[in-house]
Each structure stands twice: as C-alpha cells, then as structure tokens.
Amino acid sequence: MSDLIGVWVGAILTLLVFSYLLGDSPLFRIAQAIFVGVAVGYAVNVALYLILLPRLIYPLIDSPQQNWHLFVPLALGILLFAKLRAAWSPLGNISIAFLFGVGGALAIGGALSGAFVPQLNATILSLSPAQNLNSVISNWLLVIGTIGALLSFRFLAQPQRPLARAFETLARGWGGLGRWFILIAFGAIFADTAVARVSVLIDRVYYLLHDWLQIVR
Amino acid sequence: MIYCAQCGTQNKDENKFCSHCGARLAPPAGLICPMCSTPNPVDTVFCNNCGARVVPLIAGVDRPAAPPPIKGLSLPTKTAAPPTPAPREDSENWLANLRAATPTDNEAESETKWARDENADAEIASDSATTREDDPAWMRDLRRAASDAPADEANQRDDFDQPRETRARSDQETAQAESEADEPSWIKRLRESAQAPEPALDRDDRAIKMERAETRDDIVDQDALPDWLQAETPPEKITPEPELADARAQNIAPLRAEETSAPRAAEPETRAGEMPDWMRMAMPAEKKDEPRLEPIAPEEIPSWVARLKPTDAPPIISGESEAAGPLAGLRSLLPLANAIAQPHAPAKPAPTPNGKTGAQLFQAILAAPASTEITAPEMKRRAPAMQPILYLLIALAVIIPFFLPTNLASSGLRLSGTPAAEFYDAIQTLPANANILLAFDYDASVAGEMDLLARAVTRQLMQRRANIIAVSTLDTGPALAQRILEPAARENNYRYGANYLNAGYLAGNEAGLAQIASIGLPTNARDYLQNQLVRQIQIATNIKSPRDFALVVVLAGTDDALKLWLEQVQARANLRVAAATSAGVEPKARAYRDAKQIVGLVSGLIGAAQYEVLTGQPGQAVVRVNAQSAAQIVLVLAIVIGNFAWLISRVGKKI
C-alpha cells in the first residue's frame, strides 16, 4: 500500500513539474515548493541526526574526559552563531578562517597533485609517426589543439620587427584554430548535457508508463 | 572634531582649514591661548601650555588672583628710565602731537601689567561717554546693537566688547583728529584705498589669499611707509573671515593690553613683544645679548592703521549670557564657538551655471506641449512558435519506442575497446573478497540516469563477491545508495555488515576525503541503517588504511564530485579509481581517463546499456536505449533543420 501511495505521489509531482511546459503556473510552483522544502528538511535531519548528535553531542555527554578534543569543534561551531549579530561577527571569523584555511589548503594541494601535474603530463605525447595511425592523429590533434587554445587567449599589438611580425601572424592563425577547438569542446559538453537530460526525461516517462500506468513492460 | 562653519564637513582637531571647502576652521570650543594657540577648557584662567592669561580682566567682575610673580620670569617693574626718544625732525606735527598725548614708555613700564590693566579699565569706564564719540564706525555699530541688552549688563559688555587696544586708542583720537589735516599724501592714499570697498572675492580666493598673506605687509605696500614706520610697525596678522575674526577677537582681544604692554623687539619676525618673559629667557643666548629696543606702547599705533581693520561684517552680538565661570554675566562672548561646536547639516551647494542652464532647459521641456505622440514600435511578425512542435516531437520520440516489439538500438551497441569494457575488465580482475569503496556521489536530479549505472556496477561487484562499503559526500547519497544496495543484496545473498555496508554521509568535502586517503575510513563515521560506528562493524574491521581498498568506484553525477575523489584520494593514496558518470560529465572525465588517472569510465544511459550487455543481464538501460536513440535523432534533426532554415533566410535577405 505504501508503495502504491508513493507511486501516485511521485506521478502527480512529475505531472506538476511537466505542467511548466504550458507555462509558469501554481501547479508547478506547488511542486517546486514541495521539493525545496523536502530537500531542506532532509538536509537538516541529516546534519542533526547523522552528524551533530552522534558525532559531537552524545560523545561529549557520555564521556567528556575521553572526548575532550570535541570541545574544539563545539567551540568553533558556537562561534559561528556570533555571525548573527554584527557586533559579535568578528568572533565568527575564527571559525570561518579555520574552515576556509583548511579547505583551501586541501583544495590547492589536491589540485596540484591530482589535476594540474597529471594533466600536464598527459599532454606530453609522442608525435612520432612510428606509432599506429590513430595514435599519431590523436596525439597531433591534441598537441595542436592544446597549444592553439592557449594561443587564442593571447592578445598583443602587431609588432614592428619582421621576425616578430611573422611570429605574431603565426600565433594569431594558430590561436584562431585553437578557438575552434574550444568551440567544439563546448559543443560536445553541451551535447552530452542534453543527452543526460534526455535520459532523465526517459526515466520519468518510463516511470509514468511502467510504474504508474503500467502499460509497458 | 571640528565642524566647518562653511560647509559643515567634519575635520580633525588639528586641521586649520576645511578639508572639503578650504575655509579656515574656527578653533574648538574653549579658550584659545593667544600666545601659543593651545585650546584650553572653558574654566581655564591661565594657559595649560605656556601659562599666559586666557581670561579677560574685567572691571566689576570677580576674577582670580594674579599669579605670584616668579623671580626672574616676571615682567620688569621699575627699571632705569630709558632715554625718551627725541622727536625726529622728519616726523610730522600730527605724530608729534600723538606722542605727546600718550604716556611715555617709562610711565608705562613703571606699572605692573596687572595694575596697568586696572587703570585702563577704570579710565575706560569713566571716559566712556567721551570716547564713544570718537569710536570707529564698526565699534559704534557694535555698541548700538548691544544697547538692547539690560542696563546692568551694559557696562560689562561695553568693557568687554571694546578691545583694550581699541579703547586706549580711542583716547588718542581726540588729539589725533586735529593732526589728520596735516597727514602726508601717502597716508591719505592709504586711507582712501582702505576705505574703498574691497573687490568681491569668493570664499576660495579669500582663503587662498589669507593663507598666502601672512602679514599685513603683503597687502599694504611696505615701501609706501617711511623707514621709521616700517621698523616700528609690527606685522599684523590678517583675520581670515569677519565672523571668525570676531570669534577670535573674543578670545584674544582681552589680552591685547597684556600683549602690547610687554616689551617688543624691533624685528617684526622675532615677535619678541608677543612672547612672555619666560619664553624670551628660554631663547638662545645670542638673542639675549642683542640690544633690546624700547617697547612701543599700544597707544602709539596711529588710528589710521586701526581703521584698516575690516569693518564690513556686522559684529555678532546675539547670544545668551554666561551663567557661570569667569565669564559669568557676559553675553555674546563665544557665540560662534557654540554654534560650531554643534554638528551642522551640510550646506546646499550653490547652483552652478551649468546646473542653472540644465534646470531651465528641463523646465522648458516640461512646459513645452508634446509635439508628437510616442507610439509603440510595431511588433515584428514572428515565425510560428516552434517550441510546442519540438516538445511534441521529443515526447513522441521518447514514448513510442517503449511500445515497439523489438529493441532496434541494443543490437548495435559496440562493446569491445570501449571505456565501458575497460571498466568491466577492471572489476572482473578483482580478487575474491576484495574490499571495494563505492561512492554514491549523485543526487536525485540525475538519479534516473545514474541509478542504471549503479545497479549494473553493484550487481557485477556482488557477483564477484566483493566486500562493498558505500559512502557519499552528499547528504542525499546514502538514501539513494540504500535503494540500489538492498535489492542487489537480496539477489546475491549479501548480508548487511558482513558483505556490504552503507557507511553513510561523509562530511567535510575535501577534509572528509583526505581522511579516507590517510586512514581508510573515518573513525567517528556511523552507518546509515543502524547508526553504529563504522569501525565496529565486521566488514570494516579489516580496513586499516586506504591501501586495503582494491578499487574505488565513483558514481559521479557532477564533474566536481569526480574531481574531488581524484584530487584528494587518488592522488594522495595512489588508489585505483574507476568512474561511472552522468553523460554530461563524460567530456571532462575523458581527460582523466586519457591521463590514466582512472582505470575505467562508463557514462550515461548508453554506457549503462553497454554494461548490462557486458554483464549478460540486459535490464532497464537496454530497454531505454531505443527511446534515447530516437530522442537524440529528433534533436539532431531539429538542430540541422533550424540551422538550414536560418541559412536560407539569410541568403534570401542578401538577395
């Protein structure tokens, strides 16, 4: 019975969201308000019953001597409430500084070791024709496209010296080619996003036809 | 904080001119020392800085006793009579008469300063009737305005309103009036120029002029005076504004007699005559050794010089009487200071010529009748709305394939050499009972796509009898994970806590993931179903470090989630990571695959269908591939037809 109610509620809410195809309406607004409210309530529930109570409050109540180190996050959390009043706001900066400092340090370190260096190494490719044809073409395209994309962000005045002028002409042409690589990459990302949204649409249609109406297998 | 009397701007206490309009600032409320310009509290009698008197000596008003004379620092009393300056031959008769009418320097020196002030007050009080007839016009105006005050205050006000220097000077004018006829021509020219109306200057020009002109010599041509007068006439400070001059005179004027009675050096730049004794004694020795010239009594200043004082502005005499303190009973002593002490509203700027012109133009526009009526531009005819048609086509493309008897697209799925095949191989090569960390990092917005991938991957992992520990960096992730894990566990006889575990929400983003990279599982994490410490659950007891995980499978709904796992876990702990992502994340995830940061990549509905075929259990993903293919065909056709139509219309316009 509960499954049946859940299916009906899901189906009705799905139809309310689809009503946006006919324009903004109170039906869509109702569904939107329900989703936002449920999401916020769920987040508060998770934060309270999965984080604060079992990991901070209960250990401090049960054995404060053993969990004395939890007073530090408790104090930092309480200091955040100082942000509610302008006069006490600087006290909350301590917690904010701790959060941003730790988060920033981890993010920068991870970006360097987990994204920047590996991606830079990945562009150091062999352009030797001794490999198979697919690899040669792929590597050449990757190198040409990467350098061209970088050159497309180079904006300089036309130099006067002949050698510099020739180099500038080459850089502009290569940068124009790199701009096309960027456009193609953006188009691919947009197309994949559209495909993902179509997949979600198919899931909702299948839900209505299969779980609610049960007219398809 | 000093408020500018001109514009109301707040200025610092040490500012002499307004930082906004440049006007000279009035001194702060209190008594300004005439010697060192130090502001003192209102009840101060002697300057806190230099000890000079800052309270006027008034007849009939109680005043504090004079300070005891300090030996060596007091004014000279009876000294040897200096030789009386012999009348010069080149001086005129009127100047000779003037000297005869004034007391000699010896007589002036024979009295102490305090006694001299007493005598001056008494003389002025008794001779006020006669001196009023000879007062200058500005002083008569001042007295006429003060005549409205009660009679009991009149004497005090008259005594105070008249600076002692002026009162003493008024005695001279009786004798001096006779000698004016004998004045030299250059003095007459000076008087005429002084009596002529001053050319109108705006406040800025006046402020600049006052700033630059430190002494009267800058205005009065010093060459026009005879040599003896240049030497004897001290440079007089110019008062910047009439109002401010009056306000300052109230603080300084009562002390003029003291100032002028002090010995004054011949050099104007040293201004020794304005210094008290202690300051003169503190001067360098060579200064003391210099021969001191005889001081000039204030009475020797000719009246025509006194008349050069600006008298255009009416004196400020309104105000309330002082209720207490040494100035009790006096009125209008510090009216401007009181007014300045209160915050002022910024004065409205004067209208500029451009502003006036603009206002007139705006008024003319408002007054002019509307010549033409504003008509709304014609709405451009638009092509028939294509959106409903496109919606209808996509809906048909999505719905109709579900009713087709055969699956047309699934037969064309390519499997070998695809990223999905790499992903499949990465799991197939896992040893039995390998520990797998399964991250459900997607939310409900992409669940329709990601659930298919999660089901396929979980099913294969359970077929491989891997120990699965599920976590999520999103608060909604554990619920979605439980929806996938529970049916798959029932199918594969998996037991919660022994073969699989939903470790719940991993808080902290980077910090939480860094904890996994360092110690494997957070020490205080609690599972989603039983709310127990993860470390105490059977499946997690053998996880001591991240190296105990044979593979990390990230089900990423966004590229940020995948990036977090790669940057914080893969890079730090050097773990093997496989990614199953939404179709929208695939372009960025491919870069990680090409860089060999992930060992396998499967994405989107098509990837899920490929994976179901690879595992030999076609499911809902394969069923939906037809709809996905049909919808993509419709979208491609719409893009191509739309661009073609746009191109045709553009060519038609050119033709």
Side-chain angles (χ1 to χ4, degrees):
Chain A
M1 185 63 184
S2 61
D3 291 343
L4 183 62
I5 294 175
V7 169
W8 271 87
V9 170
I12 291 173
L13 287 175
T14 302
L15 291 176
L16 291 180
V17 172
F18 278 146
S19 69
Y20 192 76
L21 292 173
L22 305 176
D24 198 359
S25 64
L27 297 176
F28 172 74
R29 293 289 178 179
I30 290 172
Q32 190 181 40
I34 289 174
F35 284 134
V36 172
V38 168
V40 172
Y42 185 80
V44 171
N45 181 69
V46 168
L48 185 62
Y49 291 103
L50 295 183
I51 305 295
L52 285 178
L53 290 178
R55 300 190 188 184
L56 181 67
I57 305 299
Y58 292 156
L60 283 176
I61 293 173
D62 295 340
S63 55
Q65 289 85 7
Q66 189 177 357
N67 299 310
W68 59 269
H69 60 280
L70 292 179
F71 281 108
V72 176
L74 177 66
L76 290 175
I78 291 174
L79 284 178
L80 278 178
F81 285 102
K83 284 288 180 186
L84 295 174
R85 186 164 182 166
W88 301 345
S89 182
L91 292 175
N93 291 343
I94 300 172
S95 305
I96 297 291
F98 180 79
L99 291 175
F100 277 79
V102 173
L106 289 172
I108 291 174
L112 284 175
S113 60
F116 184 75
V117 174
Q119 292 299 311
L120 200 62
N121 287 333
T123 57
I124 303 175
L125 299 171
S126 172
L127 302 178
S128 170
Q131 311 171 74
N132 62 63
L133 186 61
N134 285 341
S135 298
V136 171
I137 295 174
S138 175
N139 292 352
W140 271 100
L141 281 178
L142 187 61
V143 171
I144 291 173
T146 302
I147 297 176
L150 293 174
L151 288 175
S152 67
F153 292 99
R154 182 174 175 274
F155 305 99
L156 289 178
Q158 185 71 26
Q160 299 299 323
R161 291 180 299 175
L163 186 60
R165 182 175 294 181
F167 176 76
E168 179 64 21
T169 303
L170 175 64
R172 287 189 178 183
W174 201 342
L177 184 64
R179 195 168 295 118
W180 275 101
F181 274 85
I182 294 174
L183 292 175
I184 291 171
F186 284 161
I189 293 173
F190 177 75
D192 275 321
T193 304
V195 168
R197 295 297 175 263
V198 169
S199 300
V200 176
L201 171 65
I202 292 170
D203 177 70
R204 286 296 89 194
V205 171
Y206 184 78
Y207 177 81
L208 293 175
L209 299 178
H210 178 264
D211 295 354
W212 185 45
L213 298 178
Q214 298 180 355
I215 56 176
V216 297
R217 59 179 176 88
Chain B
M1 197 64 69
I2 301 177
Y3 292 89
C4 176
Q6 194 68 33
C7 63
T9 304
Q10 288 185 349
N11 292 274
K12 296 179 179 177
D13 290 337
E14 60 270 20
N15 283 10
K16 294 182 178 179
F17 298 93
C18 177
S19 60
H20 181 256
C21 66
R24 183 180 288 276
L25 295 173
L31 298 177
I32 303 300
C33 177
M35 304 303 292
C36 62
S37 300
T38 300
N40 292 277
V42 177
D43 55 352
T44 303
V45 178
F46 299 100
C47 177
N48 293 329
N49 185 37
C50 67
R53 169 172 281 278
V54 294
V55 178
L57 294 172
I58 303 169
V61 177
D62 293 338
R63 58 175 176 267
I70 302 172
K71 189 175 182 180
L73 292 179
S74 60
L75 288 171
T77 55
K78 194 68 176 181
T79 56
T84 305
R88 302 182 184 182
E89 295 181 354
D90 55 348
S91 61
E92 300 293 339
N93 293 332
W94 63 276
L95 283 175
N97 297 334
L98 179 64
R99 284 205 175 87
T102 56
T104 61
D105 293 335
N106 293 338
E107 294 170 358
E109 291 289 332
S110 64
E111 299 176 358
T112 62
K113 186 173 67 175
W114 314 105
R116 223 173 26 246
D117 291 335
E118 289 284 354
N119 294 335
D121 292 336
E123 289 174 7
I124 291 169
S126 61
D127 299 340
S128 59
T130 56
T131 54
R132 285 182 183 181
E133 296 297 327
D134 300 324
D135 283 345
W138 60 273
M139 192 175 293
R140 285 199 296 272
D141 294 341
L142 188 69
R143 185 170 289 113
R144 190 180 308 118
S147 62
D148 298 335
D152 55 350
E153 299 178 0
N155 290 333
Q156 298 176 1
R157 190 171 61 252
D158 286 345
D159 290 342
F160 184 73
D161 287 346
Q162 295 182 14
R164 291 202 174 93
E165 183 180 348
T166 308
R167 280 180 267 148
R169 196 184 309 126
S170 63
D171 295 334
Q172 306 170 10
E173 292 189 3
T174 313
Q176 191 176 349
E178 300 174 356
S179 62
E180 285 186 358
D182 299 328
E183 288 177 358
S185 59
W186 59 271
I187 292 181
K188 290 181 179 178
R189 286 198 302 273
L190 271 178
R191 179 179 291 110
E192 291 172 0
S193 63
Q195 293 175 350
E198 189 177 359
L201 296 174
D202 56 19
R203 290 189 176 276
D204 293 339
D205 292 339
R206 264 187 289 170
I208 295 171
K209 183 179 176 183
M210 287 183 296
E211 178 66 19
R212 292 177 178 172
E214 285 294 328
T215 64
R216 177 69 71 180
D217 298 341
D218 293 338
I219 297 177
V220 180
D221 188 4
Q222 195 76 2
D223 295 334
L225 300 175
D227 295 336
W228 61 270
L229 194 55
Q230 290 182 17
E232 293 184 355
T233 304
E236 186 178 350
K237 199 78 173 179
I238 297 176
T239 53
E241 291 283 342
E243 297 88 354
L244 297 180
D246 289 339
R248 182 177 298 175
Q250 292 174 358
N251 285 335
I252 299 177
L255 298 168
R256 289 279 171 82
E258 297 178 10
E259 296 175 20
T260 53
S261 62
R264 194 179 304 173
E267 293 81 8
E269 62 274 11
T270 60
R271 303 194 178 200
E274 298 178 1
M275 295 181 181
D277 291 342
W278 60 270
M279 192 178 294
R280 278 202 305 278
M281 296 186 67
M283 290 178 69
E286 57 272 16
K287 294 283 183 180
K288 292 179 182 177
D289 296 340
E290 290 178 4
R292 293 175 58 186
L293 298 180
E294 290 303 319
I296 299 175
E299 291 77 8
E300 290 182 350
I301 299 175
S303 62
W304 59 268
V305 177
R307 289 190 191 126
L308 294 178
K309 183 175 183 178
T311 58
D312 294 337
I316 300 173
I317 59 172
S318 61
E320 298 179 354
S321 299
E322 297 291 330
L327 303 181
L330 300 180
R331 205 178 75 164
S332 309
L333 291 180
L334 300 170
L336 191 56
N338 292 334
I340 291 171
Q342 298 175 354
H344 290 253
K348 291 183 179 179
T352 60
N354 291 335
K356 288 181 178 178
T357 306
Q360 292 172 355
L361 180 62
F362 186 65
Q363 182 65 27
I365 292 173
L366 291 179
S371 57
T372 57
E373 293 183 356
I374 299 175
T375 57
E378 292 185 2
M379 295 297 291
K380 190 176 180 180
R381 289 193 61 184
R382 299 177 60 181
M386 294 295 295
Q387 284 185 348
I389 299 174
L390 193 57
Y391 293 159
L392 182 61
L393 288 176
I394 292 176
L396 293 175
V398 169
I399 294 172
I400 291 176
F402 287 115
F403 297 97
L404 294 178
T406 57
N407 196 322
L408 302 177
S410 61
S411 58
L413 288 174
R414 188 172 63 90
L415 301 177
S416 61
T418 59
E422 296 176 359
F423 193 106
Y424 176 80
D425 293 339
I427 293 179
Q428 282 296 113
T429 56
L430 288 174
N433 297 323
N435 296 316
I436 305 296
L437 189 62
L438 188 57
F440 284 82
D441 278 1
Y442 64 91
D443 56 14
S445 64
V446 291
E449 183 184 18
M450 293 300 300
D451 279 350
L452 300 175
L453 285 170
R455 284 195 191 100
V457 171
T458 304
R459 189 180 297 123
Q460 186 195 7
L461 287 172
M462 290 186 175
Q463 288 174 353
R464 296 293 305 166
R465 307 307 298 178
N467 297 324
I468 301 173
I469 297 176
V471 295
S472 177
T473 60
L474 303 175
D475 55 355
T476 55
L480 296 175
Q482 192 60 30
R483 208 177 52 158
I484 300 298
L485 291 173
E486 200 168 337
R490 281 197 301 268
E491 293 176 8
N492 297 281
N493 295 324
Y494 258 53
R495 195 161 52 89
Y496 186 82
N499 305 110
Y500 79 103
L501 175 68
N502 189 352
Y505 172 49
L506 186 66
N509 291 330
E510 289 94 346
L513 292 176
Q515 204 172 8
I516 285 182
S518 59
I519 59 176
L521 284 174
T523 54
N524 57 353
R526 291 177 177 270
D527 77 307
Y528 176 74
L529 278 185
Q530 301 171 353
N531 200 23
Q532 293 180 350
L533 281 174
V534 169
R535 287 288 190 182
Q536 297 174 354
I537 299 176
Q538 178 187 355
I539 190 175
T541 52
N542 56 350
I543 304 297
K544 305 297 183 186
S545 72
R547 292 285 182 182
D548 294 329
F549 290 114
L551 181 68
V552 177
V553 179
V554 181
L555 303 168
T558 61
D559 54 344
D560 288 336
L562 179 60
K563 189 173 70 173
L564 268 181
W565 278 96
L566 293 177
E567 290 179 355
Q568 301 299 331
V569 177
Q570 190 270 334
R572 293 177 188 273
N574 198 20
L575 294 178
R576 297 177 72 220
V577 175
T581 67
S582 168
V585 184
E586 186 186 6
K588 294 183 180 177
R590 274 186 179 271
Y592 297 120
R593 174 180 169 269
D594 294 340
K596 296 184 171 43
Q597 290 181 267
I598 53 179
V599 297
L601 174 64
V602 56
S603 60
L605 183 62
I606 303 298
Q610 290 175 333
Y611 209 85
E612 286 180 351
V613 172
L614 285 171
T615 56
Q617 294 178 332
Q620 293 183 7
V622 175
V623 173
R624 299 179 192 184
V625 166
N626 270 347
Q628 179 84 33
S629 302
Q632 288 182 209
I633 290 171
V634 169
L635 286 177
V636 170
L637 287 178
I639 292 171
V640 171
I641 293 173
N643 280 280
F644 187 73
W646 176 78
L647 192 62
I648 294 295
S649 65
R650 204 172 170 194
V651 172
K653 283 183 181 177
K654 287 186 178 179
I655 294 174

